[in-house]
Amino acid sequence: MQTIFDLNVYQPLDGVYHMQDATGVCATLIVGAERALLVDTCTGYADLKAVVGALTGKPCIVCNTHAHLDHIGGNYQFDRVYLNQKDFAVGCLYLSALDIRPAALEHFAQMGLAPDQTRTEQYLAYRMENVEALNMEEEIDLGGVHVRPVPMGSHSPGMTGFYVQERKLLLGGDSVCLLACLNFPEASSVKQHLQMLKDISAIDFSFLLSSHSKELLTREDVEAMLECAQSYDEAKTSHYADPFYPQFGGRMYLHESQKGKHAIIVAKRRIVNHAEDHKA
Ligand SMILES: [Zn+2]
């Protein structure tokens, strides 16, 4: 691990950099022979563009896994960012009615991480002006490394993972992860989440990186996520409140898998899920 401009940078696989900021949120940089791909831009206080520049001099394509503020926070630093258009409305909502950026800035300041005046203004003014629709059908050729977008709609409708073919690596964002939050209004039911996990299991990956963990996970962790979704039982949950969005309280369910791995799902209360299951 090395620390570059306030970010902890891990290199779990050849040409793969997983960068974690002080709030625990990660972005991933995949470097090929000709180009690089940056997936997500973290919470936005750090000079992510400078970190990417320190790791590679190659031209860099930037994509977001989904439109929550802790993954698009640093978008303002880049000329163009691609996002699944199913998440455009989610992004607009979080950048207006659900905007917590002033509170996030206060949180950064308390950690001694407040960005300078110029970056603070750019961060607060950002409205997805540089966002374009990600082509979900198009493989991204980085030169000897091929990456394809993988739909993972559950945590948010447009949540998109990325499969790095030559590394057998799947980027799971906030949907394929050990703590899957489905308590936000835009999230799917547990049933739909389970189906998504089954769908992605067909992909030939060996490794998994998710957006709130520095660990390189394996298929055993995904099995734990599947078991967790399969056995979800609201009677065995406890109340959960997100520190930044306490209005979206949910039910937290912890499962220990047959192989001793732990996975957690935070779901909406059953009455909401029930309605969604009928719609599906
Ligand atoms: Zn999220």
Side-chain angles (χ1 to χ4, degrees):
M1 194 273 285
Q2 51 178 329
T3 302
I4 310 175
F5 300 115
D6 293 331
L7 291 189
N8 289 339
V9 180
Y10 303 85
Q11 191 180 356
L13 298 166
D14 185 29
V16 176
Y17 300 92
H18 199 50
M19 304 168 283
Q20 190 170 45
D21 78 15
T23 69
V25 182
C26 300
T28 313
L29 180 72
I30 316 289
V31 182
E34 289 157 32
R35 277 173 291 278
L37 170 69
L38 174 67
V39 176
D40 281 343
T41 62
C42 295
T43 49
Y45 72 80
D47 192 347
L48 184 61
K49 195 172 183 178
V51 177
V52 170
L55 293 170
T56 178
K58 290 170 185 157
C60 188
I61 303 158
V62 185
C63 293
N64 291 134
T65 55
H66 64 299
H68 286 155
L69 293 181
D70 51 341
H71 306 276
I72 68 168
N75 277 12
Y76 67 89
Q77 299 169 15
F78 300 92
D79 294 336
R80 188 180 301 163
V81 180
Y82 294 97
L83 170 72
N84 184 335
Q85 58 186 355
K86 285 186 183 169
D87 251 30
F88 281 9
V90 171
C92 291
L93 186 66
Y94 281 86
L95 290 167
S96 56
L98 295 175
D99 193 0
I100 53 148
R101 284 177 288 179
L105 270 176
E106 226 167 89
H107 183 62
F108 302 151
Q110 279 166 9
M111 297 175 88
L113 295 166
D116 65 26
Q117 183 72 18
T118 309
R119 275 200 286 129
T120 297
E121 285 169 12
Q122 291 172 335
Y123 170 71
L124 288 173
Y126 183 68
R127 294 285 185 278
M128 295 199 348
E129 299 87 345
N130 58 350
V131 166
E132 289 185 22
L134 174 68
N135 183 345
M136 296 296 291
E137 307 303 322
E138 196 181 333
E139 188 178 69
I140 304 167
D141 182 357
L142 302 177
V145 179
H146 299 85
V147 185
R148 80 179 151 84
V150 179
M152 295 181 177
S154 76
H155 174 71
S156 76
M159 167 70 224
T160 299
F162 293 87
Y163 177 58
V164 187
Q165 197 182 304
E166 285 77 6
R167 302 289 174 270
K168 291 206 170 196
L169 169 68
L170 189 64
L171 305 184
D174 276 2
S175 274
V176 184
C177 57
L178 290 173
L179 197 172
C181 287
L182 306 177
N183 53 310
F184 293 86
E186 64 273 18
S188 76
S189 65
V190 175
K191 191 175 155 189
Q192 288 162 324
H193 176 68
L194 173 62
Q195 186 57 52
M196 180 279 300
L197 289 172
K198 286 179 180 169
D199 292 345
I200 66 102
S201 294
I203 299 171
D204 182 29
F205 67 90
S206 302
F207 306 105
L208 173 81
L209 288 168
S210 59
S211 296
H212 289 268
S213 167
K214 63 180 168 55
E215 305 300 334
L216 185 66
L217 304 176
T218 68
R219 293 195 77 101
E220 280 191 10
D221 296 290
V222 178
E223 283 167 23
M225 295 169 205
L226 266 162
E227 283 181 32
C228 184
Q230 221 139 21
S231 63
Y232 180 83
D233 179 355
E234 192 175 289
K236 294 177 183 165
T237 61
S238 53
H239 180 69
Y240 172 87
D242 184 280
F244 281 101
Y245 302 100
Q247 68 269 42
F248 302 139
R251 305 300 311 179
M252 185 161 82
Y253 178 72
L254 169 72
H255 175 80
E256 183 177 344
S257 75
Q258 291 173 5
K259 291 177 182 165
K261 302 269 183 180
H262 289 88
I264 296 172
I265 284 177
V266 180
K268 281 172 263 196
R269 288 172 195 84
R270 187 171 42 189
I271 189 155
V272 179
N273 280 338
H274 188 66
E276 288 217 337
D277 284 343
H278 277 270
K279 218 167 47 185

